[in-house]
Amino acid sequence: IRERCLYLDHATLAPLPQPAVAAVGEALRLYQQEGFWQSRELHQLDQKVRMLVSQITGCQPSDVSLFPDAATALAALFAGLDLPPGTEFFLTAEDPDEARSLVILLQRLGRPATLLEPARWAQLAHILEARAPERAVVYLPWVDAAGWVGDFPAVVKEFKARGCFVVLDGSQAVPCRPESFPELEVEALLLPSHTWLLGPQGACALITTPELRERWHPVFSPWRKPLAEGASDAACFEGQGVSPLVLAGWTASLELILAEGLVAVRNRIFAHQRTMTSFLLQLGWNVASPGASQPVAGIVLAQHPFFPAEEVQRRLQARHVRVGTLGSWVRFSPHFYTTLAELDALQKILSSL
């Protein structure tokens, strides 16, 4: 990655690390030489991914279902839940297309669904209080697109007192946040492969509690018999398996993060977020992400004093720096492998933008 650019857009899409590229190449070789149906190694990659995801999130491997993407995972969950009549769905997602698709699906299933506009956590509490959901399924981001961290499990306790199920989108939270899945006290956690977990696109883990799985009926025919019979194994809710090529790459990326150490990875991400927030404020940028007194993930959302976000992105791209945009804001999202020297170089680039 460093041979080409300084990459600071992991909140949107992560570039593949070299071990992941090599693992996909090796999987392709096995395809050519043995055939995927004969390769025991390829056939067991899904179990390996479950084990690695469980180590990163603190759940059990049997809690992890694997799907090709987040939309398929949520569709399988929402369509299969056994819920009392009149149960409402409250959804908020940073991707408007994903959110609208989910609302349409739920409406076709005859389930009332309300789409909440993406909001910072300070505003979200007021929105949900005004709507006062009872006996509802609530889908929320653990960390929103600006890097604000939800107050879990306090939020969950309030929802559970109302008889609500809580499903979290962990796209911007794992492995940045230290809380484990049991500590969140939610019913389900969604983890796409292609952002902070550094995997290729085409896989998504859905972590669920045993209690939720007792009320979840499979909507797909399992692509292969799970290791454990019945709903105690989350694998029984999957449809067609995720591509072994994708699983091979994701396995290598997860192993890379675990080999570095989760605490070391988080500490570097937190330090980078604080460093970037500090020098952006010094350069006169307007920063909308959490400050020193709040919990953080890895995102810094900021506005240049006068350049539009797209112009900043274009000028940085010309200097081989890749950043994202979110509306009128520039979004910086460095990972653990970003160095202090690279951030020093970025500060100098920004000062003469």
Side-chain angles (χ1 to χ4, degrees):
I1 299 168
R2 289 199 181 96
E3 293 175 355
R4 298 188 297 277
C5 68
L6 170 56
Y7 195 89
L8 302 172
D9 195 18
H10 296 88
T12 303
L13 178 67
L16 285 183
Q18 288 182 355
V21 175
V24 173
E26 175 62 15
L28 275 172
R29 186 189 66 79
L30 292 174
Y31 258 93
Q32 294 172 332
Q33 292 187 359
E34 302 179 29
F36 72 93
W37 61 90
Q38 293 178 313
S39 172
R40 180 177 178 84
E41 183 178 348
L42 291 178
H43 198 56
Q44 293 184 337
L45 276 173
D46 63 320
Q47 297 299 335
K48 194 169 185 179
V49 168
R50 288 181 229 281
M51 180 190 69
L52 295 169
V53 168
S54 72
Q55 291 176 18
I56 287 177
T57 61
C59 70
Q60 297 297 317
S62 59
D63 295 333
V64 182
S65 305
L66 297 176
F67 295 90
D69 52 58
T72 303
L74 291 172
L77 176 63
F78 291 163
L81 279 178
D82 182 11
L83 299 170
T87 300
E88 293 187 79
F89 285 75
F90 289 84
L91 313 174
T92 180
E94 301 295 341
D95 183 346
D97 293 333
E98 174 192 336
R100 282 192 292 268
S101 297
L102 288 172
V103 169
I104 292 172
L105 169 68
L106 291 166
Q107 290 173 345
R108 288 176 177 172
L109 293 172
R111 295 181 173 177
T114 301
L115 178 59
L116 302 176
E117 291 295 325
R120 306 289 73 85
W121 272 105
Q123 301 165 327
L124 186 60
H126 296 299
I127 293 173
L128 294 174
E129 183 63 30
R131 300 295 180 100
E134 300 283 347
R135 298 191 315 276
V137 176
V138 184
Y139 175 56
L140 300 169
W142 180 356
V143 175
D144 70 20
W148 289 88
V149 182
D151 183 17
F152 296 102
V155 172
V156 178
K157 289 180 180 178
E158 179 181 347
F159 285 138
K160 284 190 174 182
R162 303 178 184 182
C164 299
F165 288 113
V166 179
V167 181
L168 282 190
D169 176 6
S171 302
Q172 308 298 350
V174 179
C176 306
R177 295 300 307 162
E179 296 86 355
S180 68
F181 177 66
E183 289 172 337
L184 293 170
E185 299 184 15
V186 299
E187 280 70 33
L189 176 64
L190 195 73
L191 293 180
S193 59
H194 61 272
T195 52
W196 295 94
L197 291 174
L198 300 177
Q201 290 178 286
C204 180
L206 179 61
I207 304 171
T208 51
T209 62
E211 294 75 19
L212 179 68
R213 295 197 295 276
E214 290 178 0
R215 306 181 65 167
W216 185 13
H217 302 292
V219 297
F220 301 120
S221 298
W223 73 282
R224 99 169 177 222
K225 189 176 181 180
L227 297 181
E229 295 291 341
S232 61
D233 190 336
C236 74
F237 298 96
E238 301 169 357
Q240 182 61 39
V242 178
S243 166
L245 300 179
V246 174
L247 292 177
W250 199 16
T251 295
S253 296
L254 295 172
E255 289 176 337
L256 176 67
I257 291 171
L258 287 168
E260 192 69 26
L262 290 176
V263 173
V265 166
R266 290 166 186 148
N267 286 343
R268 288 180 202 167
I269 292 173
F270 291 168
H272 294 339
Q273 198 272 357
R274 300 300 194 199
T275 298
M276 294 192 67
T277 299
S278 177
F279 71 62
L280 285 169
L281 289 171
Q282 292 174 14
L283 293 172
W285 288 54
N286 179 24
V287 177
S289 295
S293 62
Q294 288 111 359
V296 299
I299 295 172
V300 181
L301 198 70
Q303 282 180 327
H304 190 271
F306 49 87
F307 283 138
E310 291 78 9
E311 179 64 15
V312 173
Q313 185 184 50
R314 185 189 68 80
R315 293 184 179 219
L316 289 177
Q317 185 73 37
R319 303 289 294 272
H320 306 289
V321 178
R322 175 64 187 175
V323 298
T325 59
L326 188 68
S328 61
W329 300 81
V330 179
R331 186 163 67 175
F332 302 88
S333 46
H335 215 302
F336 78 92
Y337 63 86
T338 308
T339 67
L340 290 177
E342 289 172 330
L343 293 184
D344 288 341
L346 173 66
Q347 183 176 4
K348 293 176 182 177
I349 292 172
L350 292 176
S351 65
S352 59
L353 198 60

